[in-house]
Each structure stands twice: as C-alpha cells, then as structure tokens.
Amino acid sequence: MDLPSERLGADSARVVLGGSFRERLERFAATVRASAARDEGRAGIAPGQGVELEGHRPYREGEDLRDLDWELLARLGRPWVRVRRQERGERLALALDTSASMAVGSPSKLEHACELAAALALATVTGGGSAEVFAHGADGSVERSSLRTRRDVPALLEFLRRRLARGERPLREVLSAVGRVRARRVIVLGDLMDVEPVDVLALARRGTRVAAVAVLARRELAPRAAEGVEWFDPESGDALALALDAATLKAYGEALEGRLAAWRSAFARRGAAYRVTAADAAFETLAGELVR
Amino acid sequence: MIEFDRPWALASLLVPLLVTILALQARRAPRASTGTLELWKQVPPEAARAPVRRSSPPWALLLLVAALCAGSLALAGARAPAQSSPRWIVLLDRSPSMYASCGGASVLERALESLDAQLVGAREFRCVAGQFVSAPEPLVPQSWLARPAGDWDEPEWERLDTPGSVWVTDSPSKSPLHASVLRVGCGQSAGLELAARKGLFVDARLEGTAFGQLALSWSEARGVARLPAPQEALLSIVVAGDGPSRSVRCAGRGWSLEGAARAFSPVFDEPVEVWLACEGESVVRARPGRIEVAWDGAPKLAGDDLEFALEISRRLDRACVASIDAPGSGPTEFRSGEPPLPEAPTRSYVPWLATLAAALAFGSLAARR
C-alpha cells in the first residue's frame, strides 16, 4: 500500500529555490508587469494613485465583506465583490514561518512558502512598491530582507535560501516584528499550525490589509489510506501511530476542514484573505491571485 | 555441535541477516512527519488507540530467510563432528593358550588389562574373536573371559589388517602390514607393538629384470628403504614358482612381456591377487606383505614401457601405502607412539541442508503467491 512519505519523498529543512525557479520567477514578474500595463492603459491610472476598482466577480466564502457590492446584491440577488487593483507604491511585509514543521513535504512547505514570498515581493516591486520578508535566522532572531528594486532580487533569494526549517521558531515572534513596521499589506506564509487567526488578524490595523496563506503538505491535505503510519511532529517530538483506514481518514479530514473553516470564517469576518495551498503546487497561480 | 569444511562460507549468513533487517524495516510502520499532529489526535479515540494493524505473519520472508540460512550452512559444508575418541578394532585371540593361568589370571585377562592401560582414552572398541562382535562396554563380554567350548577357529587376521586395528595374541601366526599387535605372554611384559615393519625387500634374482628395476625405482621414489632381508620388510618382492619353466607372452596397454615362467603353487590360507597373468597363468601375484614373481630369468619388455611402469607402480602403491600423501609421515612407516588410527566417521549435512533450502525456497515462493 502506498505510504504518503514514501510517495512524496523525504522532508527537507533546506530551501533550494533551484532548477528553473529563477526563470519561472522572471516569467511571473513579466506577466504581472504586462497585466499592470494593460490595466493602466485601460483605466488611465497613473502610478501612485490609490486602490482602484478593476471590476466585479462572484463573492467567495470568507472574503472581505467590505468589498461586497451591496448595490449589485440588491439588484441581482447574488453577492458580487469589487475587485481592486493593487495599489501603486504599496509596502508589502511578508511573514515567513520557518518552524520545524515547515520541513514537511517534498518539496517542503518552507520551499513553497519561499517561492511564494519571492514571487509576491518581486510582483510588488514590479508594481512600484517595496517588500520586506521577515523570518527567523540561524541564531533564532527575526531577520528581514528588503526588496526595493529588481536589483535586490539576488539578495532576497540568498536570504530565502539561508532559511532553515528547524526547532521551535514561534511564528508569533515574526508577526510581532512585522507589526512594528508600517506596511500597507501583510501576508503571512506558513502552515499556521502554531498560531490562531487572532494572532494574524491583530496585524490588520487601519490602513493595513492582511492575508494568510496556509501551506500544507500533500500528506497533510489528503493523506491516503495506509496499513499504518507513525505520524511525527518535528517540533514537539510527539508521535502517534495510526492505521489509516477510511474511518480514520474521514475523521482527520473533518478535523482539518474544521480548522480551515475556522480560519476562513475568522478572516472573512475581518475582510481579510485566507488561502490554503499545497506545498507541491505551482506558486504562480496563488501568487497571481494575491497580487491582484 | 557442527563442524564445517569451508567455515569462511559462513559469511554468507550475512545475506539472510541483511534480508531480515531490510524486510523488517520495510514492514515497520513508516514514520512521516506532519505539522498537524493535533488534528490526528482529534480523530475518534477508538481509532487513535487502535494499534497499527499487521497482516498475517510474513511466512514468505520467514521461509526465505530459513532457506538462505540452510543454503549458507550447506555452502559451508556442515557436517557432524568427528568422534572425539579414536575408534579401535581389537582382534582378540581366544586360542586355548590365551586362557593359560598366569599369576591368578589368564593370559587373556592380563592382555586386556594391558590393552586397557595402553589405549587410555580410546574406550570405543569393537572386539573380534573369530567373529565380529560389537562390544563397546565393557571391553569384552564377560563370557569371553572363559575358555570357549568346542573347537577353536583361528581368527581371520587379514580381515583386520588395517590402521586402527590391534591384534591381541600370544603367538601371532601372521605379521600385519597395517595393524598393531599386542603380543602377550605369561612371564613377559606385554607391550603394544606398533606395526613397525618397514622397507622393501627385493629378491636379488629380480635385480636384472624389468620388474625388479621397476620395484627399486618405485621404492626410491616413494622413500621406502630397501632392506637386505625379508623378515623386517613391510613388503617383499620375491621370485616364486616351482612348476616347470615354459615360455609365455602377455600384453597390457601398449606393452608386452615375453619370457620363461614357472607356475605358482596354489594358496588357500590367505588372499591372493593376481597382478599379471600370461596365457591364463598368473606370473605376478600379491599376498599380504609379499609380491611373488614367477619369471624364470628376465622377461623381455616391449612396447610402451612407461605404461607398464605406471601400472605396476599403482599396484605397489595400493599394496603398501595406506596414505601415501599423508604429510609428515612416510608411506610405510608408523611414527613411534602414534599408531595409525582409523578416520573417525563423520556425517555430512550438506545434501540434507541443500534439499531443505530448496524446499524452503519453493515454500517461500508459494507463500508470496
């Protein structure tokens, strides 16, 4: 019977960002740039202007109710939200979780979170803004790397490659550091297992929009039936041996969905975005959605 | 205990060990890290507490490992160990003279005491007195200590003229080639005489003949000393034959001999092996400790003389040399204090193990299906 860890490969605490990642990143940035130029041409928006309306789309559960177009709701009887284009010159703060549990998966959750961080930062700079990435360093302190121009990309990638998923690196410490800067937008990247929605939403002050991305390994999102698996928490060291039969998987699925729903609901109530992604997914899709 | 012909092959036991380790590792519940252990703990307690289910015992693996072990042992040449104590065969003379009184005991009893003392540690005997009787303990049946009723038949000494045999007698009528002799008698100290005769005696009349020259060359090559008299010789090659001389011709593989020969007298009291027969008459024959040649003068050897030499040499080897390749010992000598012992019987387990390994391997294959 297939076993999740064997099927997906070994965990890795290191960040590689190798292979064709740099090319994919450049292509993603070019796409963002082309999209922005197209939007500017269509709307005649000059750089430096505030958040602009791009259009409408159907409401999805958990979305910021402040974006709900009440007039359309009254007229059409269905909820539509206003889609706004990213503000020019905005300052983005990215909080990166590097706790030991981020090593889970192949590629690891940390690898995917770093890919997203690099893509979001580069997209922000492409749009005329600046980005800062906050994460724990090797000595346990919270470090940051700033991206103000495209020339800073190599330094950012090097910063990301030095991240190691190990030990108990409380995400709250990173959130605390992020809270001390004046960012128009904050995106938290991690498995979000050691924090609660309120910890992240505390950053959503006036003038600051918050988004959270829960990066989960495929074996966490959809474990498959197996004769037996000893689940191991790399942070606490606890282990739990279970037979992954249909009943157990169903119960786990319900527990996971319950947790994700709680986050989704909490963020929706505050008009913040909350996304869940698999560690082995392509970063372009979610990053593209977040930068819009 | 088990002994091995090729103990280095026991290293192959690492293979089943490795197979076992790898298989058990594969069977162990895989360890997978997760950041969501709390969620797994939320599954219903009955599921969480349920032990990881195992399938039925890994019969295929067990059979495979057993087959590999059996194969390894077979490869190493497993066998039962040699018996720790040497096995002696005692040929006991129960002629009337052996029951003569000698200081309150019979000569035979004295002989058995002496034998027992001299063969300390060698307690496993097969005693023979005219017939083969197994009597490991005590040394001889109690009934043998009494004079046998009826006529006494001379033991067939030649049947046990082998290494590891001891002839116990007060008057040996034969001289053994390979057996040891415990010569006993009242008033003289009994002592175990190892087969001490050695060397080769060649009748001077054969020196000019092809057969004589060949025998001397053989003795030189084998390191067998040539003795001047037949009494001390392990093997004597003598001219015999007392019939009328007549011209004969015989041939072997590529060679032929032609010359005058006399007929042998018939022999009834000991085994005789004909080595060479010409026109139906034997001209060279072997008796215990003695090779007799019937040639009258020097026969003419023609053809492949090397083949002839090899054939005769092989026969001489068989006649005199029990273990010609035994290192450290001369072919026809017994070292002092080391009477030749029979090889302790051993039993090889290899066929049994090989069969078992094959059966287990088939069983393993069947279990996999």
Side-chain angles (χ1 to χ4, degrees):
Chain A
M1 206 172 279
D2 284 344
L3 299 170
S5 58
E6 291 172 346
R7 193 172 55 249
L8 295 176
D11 297 339
S12 173
R14 294 191 172 278
V15 177
V16 180
L17 298 181
S20 59
F21 174 72
R22 186 65 190 269
E23 289 74 25
R24 288 172 61 198
L25 190 63
E26 293 295 343
R27 279 200 299 274
F28 174 73
T31 304
V32 170
R33 195 162 46 243
S35 175
R38 190 169 58 246
D39 294 344
E40 286 164 9
R42 190 170 59 211
I45 301 171
Q49 288 182 297
V51 177
E52 296 298 329
L53 181 65
E54 187 179 62
H56 291 81
R57 62 169 170 75
Y59 171 79
R60 289 195 294 246
E61 183 185 350
E63 284 189 314
D64 190 348
L65 291 176
R66 286 178 295 185
D67 290 333
L68 196 65
D69 191 324
W70 298 100
E71 193 174 324
L72 277 181
L73 175 63
R75 197 145 37 103
L76 302 177
R78 290 170 57 192
W80 289 76
V81 293
R82 300 183 192 90
V83 177
R84 299 174 187 278
R85 190 165 58 79
Q86 177 186 325
E87 184 187 22
R88 288 285 182 176
E90 78 170 7
R91 183 180 182 186
L92 172 67
L94 291 156
L96 190 61
D97 181 5
T98 58
S99 59
S101 64
M102 291 296 286
V104 175
S106 179
S108 69
K109 294 188 284 187
L110 180 59
E111 179 84 18
H112 189 57
C114 286
E115 289 176 351
L116 285 171
L120 292 169
L122 183 57
T124 302
V125 169
T126 301
S130 65
E132 286 178 298
V133 180
F134 293 78
H136 278 103
D139 60 354
S141 64
V142 177
E143 299 175 346
R144 76 165 78 174
S145 176
S146 299
L147 189 70
R148 300 185 188 287
T149 68
R150 293 175 58 82
R151 287 194 298 275
D152 297 331
V153 170
L156 173 65
L157 295 182
E158 188 55 34
F159 172 84
L160 293 173
R161 287 192 184 100
R162 288 201 305 271
R163 300 309 101 186
L164 278 176
R166 66 181 184 187
E168 285 196 41
R169 302 278 175 79
L171 182 58
R172 286 188 183 87
E173 293 181 3
V174 181
L175 298 179
S176 176
V178 169
R180 287 193 288 272
V181 300
R182 282 183 169 276
R184 292 293 301 272
R185 195 170 188 208
V186 172
I187 299 178
V188 180
L189 301 167
D191 58 13
L192 307 179
M193 289 297 165
D194 58 343
V195 292
E196 295 302 322
V198 65
D199 299 318
V200 179
L201 291 171
L203 300 172
R205 295 165 302 202
R206 186 176 181 82
T208 300
R209 289 187 297 145
V210 171
V213 177
V215 183
L216 297 178
R218 187 67 66 180
R219 77 183 70 147
E220 295 168 337
L221 281 171
R224 294 191 185 181
E227 197 169 279
V229 171
E230 186 182 50
W231 292 113
F232 170 70
D233 185 341
E235 292 181 21
S236 66
D238 293 341
L240 182 65
L242 287 173
L244 299 189
D245 54 16
T248 305
L249 292 177
K250 183 170 182 288
Y252 170 80
E254 290 170 355
L256 175 64
E257 184 51 39
R259 180 176 178 83
L260 299 184
W263 273 77
R264 206 175 289 126
S265 173
F267 271 62
R269 282 195 299 271
R270 296 290 301 274
Y274 172 74
R275 299 286 184 272
V276 178
T277 183
D280 57 353
F283 70 86
E284 290 91 339
T285 306
L286 180 57
E289 184 182 337
L290 288 171
V291 298
R292 276 202 297 271
Chain B
M1 290 292 292
I2 298 178
E3 293 180 349
F4 299 96
D5 293 331
R6 297 172 292 278
W8 50 265
L10 288 175
S12 60
L13 281 171
L14 289 174
V15 175
L17 180 66
L18 199 62
V19 168
T20 304
I21 292 172
L22 292 176
L24 290 181
Q25 277 189 341
R27 276 182 60 80
R28 207 177 65 184
R31 194 178 174 90
S33 57
T34 178
T36 62
L37 198 59
E38 291 303 317
L39 297 179
W40 285 111
K41 289 178 179 174
Q42 291 177 27
V43 302
E46 58 271 21
R49 283 195 299 269
V52 172
R53 282 194 297 273
R54 295 291 187 193
S55 56
S56 57
W59 294 117
L61 170 67
L62 292 175
L63 290 171
L64 177 64
V65 169
L68 289 172
C69 287
S72 298
L73 293 176
L75 195 65
R79 57 178 161 77
Q83 293 178 359
S84 57
S85 60
R87 183 184 180 88
W88 290 85
I89 297 174
V90 178
L91 192 60
L92 191 62
D93 181 3
R94 295 181 67 198
S95 62
S97 60
M98 291 291 285
Y99 291 91
S101 177
C102 181
S106 67
V107 173
L108 185 141
E109 287 172 314
R110 296 280 185 212
L112 292 176
E113 288 173 6
S114 176
L115 184 68
D116 198 19
Q118 293 188 53
L119 300 181
V120 172
R123 294 293 301 166
E124 188 174 352
F125 295 91
R126 286 183 67 211
C127 291
V128 181
Q131 56 183 334
F132 290 94
V133 176
S134 178
E137 194 72 35
L139 187 56
V140 296
Q142 193 68 23
S143 61
W144 287 18
L145 300 181
R147 186 171 177 167
D151 295 335
W152 163 252
D153 293 328
E154 183 82 2
E156 295 181 60
W157 300 101
E158 294 81 6
R159 289 185 60 182
L160 286 178
D161 188 5
T162 57
S165 296
V166 182
W167 297 1
V168 180
T169 178
D170 59 343
S171 56
S173 58
K174 299 281 188 289
S175 295
L177 289 177
H178 304 292
S180 299
V181 177
L182 181 62
R183 195 189 306 273
V184 295
C186 191
Q188 68 183 71
S189 65
L192 182 63
E193 294 178 9
L194 305 181
R197 304 201 328 161
K198 53 192 175 183
L200 174 73
F201 169 76
V202 179
D203 195 319
R205 288 172 288 176
L206 290 170
E207 287 184 0
T209 68
F211 196 90
Q213 290 296 332
L214 180 59
L216 292 174
S217 298
W218 172 85
S219 65
E220 188 176 343
R222 293 285 185 253
V224 179
R226 184 184 178 191
L227 301 179
Q231 289 78 14
E232 299 296 324
L234 176 70
L235 182 65
S236 298
I237 302 178
V238 298
V239 175
D242 49 9
S245 177
R246 63 188 183 94
S247 179
V248 293
R249 183 180 185 281
C250 49
R253 297 175 55 181
W255 54 265
S256 65
L257 272 175
E258 187 171 1
R262 297 179 186 276
F264 284 129
S265 300
V267 175
F268 302 104
D269 59 346
E270 61 183 13
V272 173
E273 180 188 4
V274 175
W275 280 18
L276 191 58
C278 298
E279 300 169 3
E281 291 289 335
S282 62
V283 292
V284 179
R285 67 182 184 184
R287 299 166 62 181
R290 183 181 169 95
I291 308 297
E292 294 178 337
V293 179
W295 294 113
D296 185 14
K300 184 181 177 183
L301 175 64
D304 190 349
D305 52 356
L306 179 61
E307 184 63 36
F308 173 76
L310 287 174
E311 185 174 333
I312 298 302
S313 177
R314 289 191 197 105
R315 289 181 177 276
L316 287 169
D317 282 346
R318 282 208 307 273
C320 297
V321 184
S323 55
I324 198 148
D325 294 326
S329 63
T332 58
E333 293 182 8
F334 301 137
R335 282 174 288 172
S336 174
E338 291 185 29
L341 298 178
E343 283 201 13
T346 60
R347 191 173 54 150
S348 174
Y349 293 146
V350 171
W352 188 84
L353 286 168
T355 305
L356 180 65
L360 289 170
F362 278 119
S364 176
L365 281 174
R368 283 182 68 87
R369 289 169 186 161

